Amino acid sequence: MVISDKASGLVDVLGDFFPAAQWQRCVVHWYRNAFNKCPYKHVKTVAAMLKAIHAQEDKEAARQKAVLVADKLRGMKLDSVAKFVEDSVEETLSYMDFPYEHWVKIRTNNGLERIMKEIRRRTRVVGSFPDGYSAMMLVGARLRHISTTKWGTRQYLCTCKIYEQGVI
């Protein structure tokens, strides 16, 4: 499973390199994309409605809830948000094909986002690099540090049950 925002280049070539992999659109990025289509005064209401979709107990219930949410959004005169939900909600439901215990950790790409934030934080301190090699050295050193410290040894997701159930 690959979890990302809707980076079109990545999504387009994913099947070429990982033909058996499922793609999961990061739910947090999806919410943000919906909020960009929504007037600020409605953001809290829309957020609660979108979260209700992903709070369902299975994929079919989530699809049904998405239809109800889209209808309610149209009633609020938020047609662009309603169309967005109808067109893209399926991309955010791939995680529901996996065991329930893993849902919270595979709905988003927070793990990768956290590593990228740490690298950004370190590279901003330096400011400008004399060449690409020195930037890569700093990034490599940071990744090596992450992989050898307690932060890198914590298990984020145990896939034992996924293998036992034959999902992978």
Side-chain angles (χ1 to χ4, degrees), residues 42-135:
H42 294 295
V43 167
K44 285 187 178 181
T45 306
V46 171
M49 291 164 55
L50 296 179
K51 288 178 183 179
I53 294 171
H54 296 101
Q56 301 304 308
E57 65 277 356
D58 61 27
K59 194 182 255 192
E60 190 53 42
R63 287 179 182 135
Q64 292 170 2
K65 186 67 170 182
V67 170
L68 296 173
V69 166
D71 291 342
K72 191 168 183 179
L73 289 168
R74 280 207 173 75
M76 296 170 61
K77 306 272 192 254
L78 298 172
D79 293 336
S80 63
V81 183
K83 183 169 175 21
F84 174 77
V85 169
E86 290 173 339
D87 293 345
S88 62
V89 72
E90 194 64 32
E91 298 168 348
T92 67
L93 302 177
S94 299
Y95 72 93
M96 291 184 170
D97 293 334
F98 292 85
Y100 179 79
E101 304 86 56
H102 300 305
W103 285 11
V104 121
K105 293 188 177 189
I106 62 175
R107 290 181 341 164
T108 68
N109 60 350
N110 285 346
L112 180 61
E113 292 282 343
R114 175 64 183 96
I115 291 171
M116 296 304 290
K117 183 178 180 180
E118 178 67 15
I119 290 171
R120 260 191 307 276
R121 185 176 77 83
R122 297 296 176 152
T123 55
R124 281 192 184 131
V125 170
V126 174
S128 63
F129 293 91
D131 56 18
Y133 181 73
S134 59

